[in-house]
Amino acid sequence: MSDGGYGRYDNGYFVPPMPAAPPPPPADGARAVAVAVLNLSGLGLGYALTRRWALTALCWIATAVLLIVALPADPDGVPEAALMAYAVFLVLAAAHGARVGLRTPLALPGRAPLALALGLLLLAVPAGGVVWYDAERDEAVQQMLLDRLEEADRLVAAAGKKEFTAAEADYRKALTAYEDLVADHPDSRAAARVPDRMKTYYATVGAPYEQREYCTAIAPLTYLRTVPDRVKKTELGELEKWPDDRLATSLYECASAGLAADQSTWAAQFGELLTTFPKSAPAAKVEPAVNAAVVREEKGLRGADPCTAVQRLRALATRITELPGEKAGVDAALAKDAGRATAQVASGTYTCGVDQYRDGDFDAALTTMNEYVTANRTAKNVPLAKKIAIAAEVAQTVPEAGKKLPTLRSGGSISVTVKNDSPDAVTVLFTGPVTGSLTLKACGGCRAYSLGSTVSPYFKPCEGGKNYPQRTISLPPGTTYFVHKSNGSSISSSAPASDTAKLENGYVYTECAYTTESFGSGL
């Protein structure tokens, strides 16, 4: 018969009933701690020793996920959410493992103290992993910074193939990258390489100087002088003063070329040189260069184009006066150069007017000679300049009159009486063997002649028995050209009238000015 959980008698002996399940082992706190510590390693060994294989696999999966997220090491490290989630998982695994290990015997090692020692030893695995990961992360940071350095290097190299105005933004961007590496990561390998990179940076930006493109080099070298304001001077060393001599030389060479080519930029460049580098060797050459330019243009006054030389001397005088020579101690010498150029402008203006007259540019010659006379009233050439101005004005109406340059000759053996049969005052200009001018007042009672009457064969002005304003002059034999200009407003046209007279000895001549619908004259 079944015992049904109850005892039974066998052969007169009492047999106690069999238990339904083995009794649980006694609670073991040391074993619980050992299992908890083993689970803290992240390998689930506490579960493995208590034969909880599914939970062991779960620990492996959690650790594998963390490794997938964390590796390869990133400069930004493991996301905080992943770390927090993994830390919470380990705490839960340790707590649960402690509960399991409290009453569950261990497979191996059988004794709790040995398992605890193993767990403590295995804690070195995650600790070592943290140390290793930090090292890998630091290396990743170093590589990231080196990548930034290389990117800045590529920017500099690419910018060096472009004009500075187009490349300046890239140069500034690269400089910012170098600056950030030194300022934010001073102990990095990338920061340690910045000083060498700055040498390349300076050489690339200042390359036009090495190629003797001095005008092109001014802007980049000027920019390089601003770099020390943005980068620690200790990172630059000798580079801090690297652009100075090069910029001074570029300013001088570019200005000298502009001075020789009569460009307007040379004065500003010399001015910057004298102001920024007043004690430099190039600054000492400014005044001699200016003086040589004045001498060169002086020689031009005796050349084929004196008018251009006058213009250049006038511009030289103005620009030399504006040069800031005080700091360099050359202000007195420059003032002397300006005065010399101004003096040459005065004498050269006369030469220019003569050249214009000979070239048949009578309008320009008249203007030039009038300017010369006004500005140089006591100069020795003023009397002849006045004659040339008169002849040029006559030649404006009668070009034939300008074939010969006037002289200072006066008087002659032939009397010519000039009368005014016009209601307006007139100025009579004449040139030929003798050049001069006279003014006759208006004729009271005179009137303008009709245009039809002047074409009649019987038309004879200045013969009406009136008391015509008149003046008698003496002229040599030869052809004299007359031009009459009205000084009033009663005539319908202000165009001057002209007359050509071939004078011969033995005759008395009369030159008459009269008024029609336009101005006319005749002998």
Side-chain angles (χ1 to χ4, degrees), residues 160-181:
K161 300 176 183 179
K162 298 185 286 187
E163 294 292 333
F164 177 74
T165 51
E168 184 176 1
D170 287 341
Y171 283 134
R172 291 186 180 277
K173 186 176 180 180
L175 182 62
T176 298
Y178 292 145
E179 178 187 6
D180 290 345
L181 286 173

Side-chain angles (χ1 to χ4, degrees), residues 291-323:
N291 180 271
V294 174
V295 173
R296 182 173 61 250
E297 297 306 335
E298 285 179 356
K299 294 179 181 179
L301 293 175
R302 300 185 293 273
D305 192 4
C307 294
T308 298
V310 168
Q311 293 174 356
R312 291 183 175 181
L313 281 166
R314 184 177 287 115
L316 271 174
T318 300
R319 290 168 182 158
I320 293 172
T321 302
E322 297 172 352
L323 289 178

Side-chain angles (χ1 to χ4, degrees), residues 145-506:
L145 297 178
L146 289 172
D147 289 343
R148 291 181 186 177
L149 182 68
E150 291 179 4
E151 176 62 25
D153 294 343
R154 286 192 291 271
L155 274 176
V156 172
K161 300 176 183 179
K162 298 185 286 187
E163 294 292 333
F164 177 74
T165 51
E168 184 176 1
D170 287 341
Y171 283 134
R172 291 186 180 277
K173 186 176 180 180
L175 182 62
T176 298
Y178 292 145
E179 178 187 6
D180 290 345
L181 286 173
V182 173
D184 300 338
H185 309 279
D187 298 327
S188 66
R189 297 202 299 269
R193 299 179 187 181
V194 167
D196 286 338
R197 294 305 198 274
M198 291 306 299
K199 293 179 182 178
T200 302
Y201 183 85
Y202 270 66
T204 304
V205 176
Y209 174 83
E210 302 300 333
Q211 299 164 3
R212 298 182 181 274
E213 298 175 2
Y214 297 113
C215 294
T216 304
I218 290 176
L221 289 173
T222 300
Y223 161 77
L224 285 176
R225 295 188 76 240
T226 68
V227 170
D229 296 334
R230 301 183 56 191
V231 178
K232 292 182 179 179
K233 295 181 180 180
T234 54
E235 300 297 332
L236 295 178
E238 296 179 355
L239 290 177
E240 182 183 353
K241 300 296 182 182
W242 187 89
D244 291 357
D245 290 342
R246 291 168 172 79
L247 178 57
T249 300
S250 296
L251 286 169
Y252 174 78
E253 295 293 343
C254 183
S256 297
L259 181 60
D262 193 36
Q263 297 173 350
S264 60
T265 55
W266 66 266
Q269 292 161 351
F270 272 157
E272 183 177 351
L273 173 59
L274 292 172
T275 301
T276 309
F277 309 104
K279 302 303 180 182
S280 65
K285 297 191 290 185
V286 169
E287 190 280 328
V290 170
N291 180 271
V294 174
V295 173
R296 182 173 61 250
E297 297 306 335
E298 285 179 356
K299 294 179 181 179
L301 293 175
R302 300 185 293 273
D305 192 4
C307 294
T308 298
V310 168
Q311 293 174 356
R312 291 183 175 181
L313 281 166
R314 184 177 287 115
L316 271 174
T318 300
R319 290 168 182 158
I320 293 172
T321 302
E322 297 172 352
L323 289 178
E326 296 83 0
K327 288 185 178 181
V330 295
D331 50 328
L334 289 172
K336 185 177 179 180
D337 294 334
R340 180 174 178 176
T342 300
Q344 292 300 318
V345 167
S347 61
T349 301
Y350 172 79
T351 305
C352 171
V354 171
D355 186 70
Q356 290 169 333
Y357 186 91
R358 286 175 171 165
D359 289 342
D361 191 354
F362 302 119
D363 292 347
L366 175 61
T367 300
T368 300
M369 287 307 187
N370 284 338
E371 290 177 354
Y372 174 76
V373 170
T374 300
N376 307 275
R377 296 185 181 280
T378 60
K380 66 177 183 178
N381 287 325
V382 166
L384 186 54
K386 291 179 179 179
K387 297 283 187 179
I388 295 174
I390 293 172
E393 191 166 2
V394 174
Q396 284 179 317
T397 303
V398 188
E400 188 74 14
K403 288 188 174 181
K404 294 182 179 180
L405 194 69
T407 66
L408 291 175
R409 181 180 178 182
S410 63
S413 58
I414 301 174
S415 295
V416 177
T417 300
V418 183
K419 296 181 180 182
N420 184 19
D421 189 4
S422 168
D424 293 321
V426 296
T427 295
V428 178
L429 310 172
F430 55 91
T431 188
V434 170
T435 300
S437 66
L438 56 91
T439 299
L440 299 175
K441 65 181 181 180
C443 173
C446 291
R447 60 181 179 82
Y449 293 95
S450 64
L451 185 60
S453 64
T454 61
V455 298
S456 170
Y458 303 104
F459 175 69
K460 294 182 178 181
C462 295
E463 292 188 2
K466 296 179 181 179
N467 186 19
Y468 296 105
Q470 58 185 284
R471 183 175 170 182
T472 300
I473 57 177
S474 298
L475 299 175
T479 301
T480 296
Y481 303 92
F482 292 89
V483 166
H484 307 158
K485 299 194 307 178
S486 173
N487 296 337
S489 58
S490 64
I491 59 174
S492 59
S493 173
S494 60
S498 63
D499 188 32
T500 300
K502 295 182 179 181
L503 306 180
E504 299 178 7
N505 286 320

